[in-house]
């Protein structure tokens, strides 16, 4: 049945949704990939019945949230937990994030899934009197929670550090302190200001060449404590250059949701592993593509994954930080949750034409396990916005 989808200029276009379910990629029995290490940064499912406000504590539907992680593990993907995809600093407060880490880590042990969890400082709001010692203490508190859960730690970029640091030496001091005390190698996470404007000038400079030098200095001083780096700058050339400068044994996990197929494939001098928010809605398809790559079939990998880039670039269009709304929207259409609400009310962060295009692109890719359910839910959303069919 035809859907009439809204354009940004207020007109409607006719779209014929697919009627047949897609060919379901094999799960591989949840077995690990052999050529790349791949994490999906997973979203959280809000509790739609909780009496909350956008600026209040987050309320999470734990059953649906953990079920989605089991879905990712069933396809062999690792879960990157409590990252920006899970709305850290955008609705998900630290006490709830800590509970999320503990619950997901326990679930990973039971399911045999790989998990790494974000360590930040979001329990600390920086002021003019905030000190580096307070930033370190906030990081240490979160690092302890992750390590006690048994998960791998991902040291995320800190808004408090960005606001407090006076120069590169402060970054070297804080990260050096944390790496020395980490019990296992961590993943260092460089999130660019397009994802979070508060991180402008991270590593002590808005000049990305200078910032890169400082980032590499941190790694070079503690290579045994750095499993890898996760780079989210949406600049493929810069990621490749950085990747080639890493010490032996330190991995690069691409966080580039614009250029991930080519970065994962790599070149004759290396490749990137993956830690991507777009692999939340692309989970089964992404897993199938990596399994094809495991066989050495680069063309087959690109044939599966290249067509998804248009959807990813749509979801991550500026303001990029609101990509989370599209991720949850697609999870709702796919039947992974019964509602389209988000912690902090972030379901309002994108427009109806944006949702319509996301639906159209995802349906064209065959991402919906039940196309009829996705169509009915899209029709419901259109009706809610006053678009009569």
């Amino acid at each position: 049945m035809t859907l009439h989808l809204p354009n940004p200029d207020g007109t409607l276009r006719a779209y014929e949704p697919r009627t047949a379910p897609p060919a379901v990629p094999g799960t591989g029995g949840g077995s690990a990939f052999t050529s790349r290490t791949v994490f999906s940064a997973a979203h959280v499912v809000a509790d739609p019945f909780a009496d909350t406000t956008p600026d209040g504590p987050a309320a999470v539907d734990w059953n649906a949230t953990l079920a989605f992680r089991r879905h990712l593990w069933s396809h062999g993907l690792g879960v990157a937990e409590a990252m920006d995809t899970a709305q850290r600093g955008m609705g998900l407060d630290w006490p709830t994030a800590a509970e999320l880490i503990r619950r997901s880590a326990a679930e990973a042990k039971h399911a045999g899934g790989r998990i790494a969890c974000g360590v930040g400082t979001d329990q600390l709001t920086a002021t003019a009197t905030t000190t580096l010692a307070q930033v370190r203490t906030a990081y240490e508190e979160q690092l302890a929670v992750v390590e006690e859960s048994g998960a791998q730690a991902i040291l995320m970029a800190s808004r408090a550090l960005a606001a407090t640091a006076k120069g590169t030496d402060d970054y070297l001091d804080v990260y050096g302190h944390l790496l020395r005390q980490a019990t296992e190698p961590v993943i260092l996470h460089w999130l660019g200001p397009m994802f979070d404007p508060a991180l402008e000038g991270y590593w002590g400079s808005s000049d990305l060449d200078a910032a890169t030098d400082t980032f590499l200095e941190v790694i070079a001083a503690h290579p045994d404590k750095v499993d890898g780096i996760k780079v989210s700058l949406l600049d493929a050339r810069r990621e490749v250059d950085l990747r080639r400068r890493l010490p032996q044994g330190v991995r690069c996990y691409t966080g580039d949701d614009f250029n991930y197929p080519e970065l994962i494939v790599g070149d004759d001098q290396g490749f990137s592993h993956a830690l991507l928010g777009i692999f939340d809605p692309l989970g089964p398809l992404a897993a199938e593509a990596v399994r094809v790559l495991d066989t050495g079939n680069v063309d087959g990998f690109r044939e599966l994954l290249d067509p998804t880039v248009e959807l990813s670039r749509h979801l991550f269009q500026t303001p990029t930080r609101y990509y989370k709304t599209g991720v949850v929207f697609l999870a709702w259409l796919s039947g992974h949750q019964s509602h389209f609400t988000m912690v902090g009310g972030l379901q309002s962060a994108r427009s109806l034409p944006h949702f319509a295009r996301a639906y159209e692109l995802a349906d064209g890719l065959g991402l919906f396990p039940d196309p009829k359910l996705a169509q009915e839910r899209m029709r419901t959303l259109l009706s809610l916005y006053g678009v009569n069919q």
Side-chain angles (χ1 to χ4, degrees):
M1 184 179 295
T2 302
L3 284 180
H4 293 92
L5 304 178
N7 298 308
D9 64 2
T11 61
L12 298 177
R13 66 184 183 279
Y15 176 70
E16 295 292 335
R18 70 165 58 226
T19 56
V24 179
T27 65
S31 59
F33 307 120
T34 58
S35 64
R36 303 291 187 273
T37 300
V38 181
F39 290 96
S40 167
H43 74 282
V44 294
V45 183
D47 179 353
F49 303 121
D51 186 13
T52 60
T53 59
D55 57 354
V60 173
D61 179 336
W62 293 112
N63 288 335
T65 293
L66 294 176
F68 188 76
R69 280 130 184 85
R70 291 192 294 271
H71 156 72
L72 294 173
W73 286 319
S74 75
H75 290 279
L77 296 162
V79 169
E81 186 58 275
M83 306 294 292
D84 52 293
T85 306
Q87 296 179 243
R88 289 290 292 270
M90 291 184 69
L92 189 72
D93 53 280
W94 166 239
T96 311
E99 184 173 0
L100 175 65
I101 289 166
R102 294 185 183 104
R103 286 176 180 254
S104 292
E107 194 74 20
K109 292 176 185 176
H110 179 73
R114 183 165 185 167
I115 188 167
C117 299
V119 172
T121 63
D122 44 323
Q123 75 273 48
L124 175 65
T125 301
T127 67
T129 60
T130 300
T131 65
L132 285 180
Q134 290 173 309
V135 174
R136 284 196 301 269
T137 298
Y139 262 131
E140 288 170 343
E141 177 189 354
Q142 296 200 14
L143 180 60
V145 169
V146 171
E147 291 189 334
E148 288 166 5
S149 77
Q152 183 178 17
I154 303 172
L155 292 186
M156 301 194 299
S158 161
R159 291 176 180 174
L161 181 56
T164 304
K166 304 304 182 186
T168 59
D169 286 347
D170 289 342
Y171 286 90
L172 295 171
D173 174 69
V174 170
Y175 277 90
H177 177 84
L178 294 168
L179 289 172
R180 283 190 295 273
Q181 74 177 65
T183 58
E184 299 290 341
V186 308
I187 297 172
L188 293 181
H189 184 200
W190 184 358
L191 192 68
M194 66 288 293
F195 287 90
D196 187 344
L199 300 177
E200 179 66 44
Y202 211 73
W203 305 111
S205 178
S206 293
D207 180 325
L208 289 179
D209 291 334
T212 297
D213 289 341
T214 301
F215 187 42
L216 287 167
E217 188 175 347
V218 169
I219 299 165
H222 309 276
D224 59 321
K225 288 297 186 74
V226 181
D227 163 69
I229 63 169
K230 191 261 190 180
V231 188
S232 297
L233 298 175
L234 303 184
D235 183 336
R237 183 72 260 162
R238 183 169 294 279
E239 178 175 322
V240 171
D241 290 343
L242 175 56
R243 186 174 74 198
R244 292 174 178 171
R245 297 173 64 187
L246 290 174
Q248 184 73 24
V250 176
R251 310 181 201 197
C252 180
Y253 294 91
T254 188
D256 188 332
D257 300 277
F258 282 7
N259 305 291
Y260 49 94
E262 65 190 78
L263 290 164
I264 294 170
V265 167
D267 53 33
D268 57 0
Q269 297 185 54
F271 56 82
S272 294
H273 300 270
L275 198 165
L276 288 161
I278 192 57
F279 280 6
D280 179 304
L282 294 183
L285 179 59
E288 181 69 9
V290 177
R291 293 195 193 285
V292 170
L293 186 61
D294 284 348
T295 70
N297 185 353
V298 171
D299 290 342
F301 171 84
R302 296 296 296 261
E303 286 171 8
L304 285 169
L305 218 52
D306 281 1
T308 69
V309 171
E310 185 178 5
L311 171 63
S312 188
R313 292 189 176 202
H314 177 72
L315 296 183
F316 285 78
Q317 68 184 218
T318 55
T320 304
R321 62 188 179 277
Y322 294 128
Y323 77 87
K324 308 162 188 65
T325 300
V327 166
V328 175
F329 170 66
L330 293 181
W332 173 56
L333 294 184
S334 296
H336 292 297
Q337 53 195 81
S338 62
H339 58 88
F340 179 37
T341 57
M342 298 174 66
V343 297
L346 207 66
Q347 68 272 10
S348 65
R350 292 294 199 189
S351 69
L352 184 62
H354 180 89
F355 294 136
R357 183 58 178 156
Y359 164 74
E360 187 176 20
L361 290 169
D363 185 62
L365 290 168
L367 293 187
F368 301 128
D370 183 344
K372 183 178 179 181
L373 174 66
Q375 179 183 343
E376 290 173 350
R377 289 185 170 183
M378 188 68 219
R379 186 182 299 277
T380 297
L381 185 70
L382 291 167
S383 177
L384 182 64
Y385 276 78
V387 181
N388 296 318
Q389 298 298 308

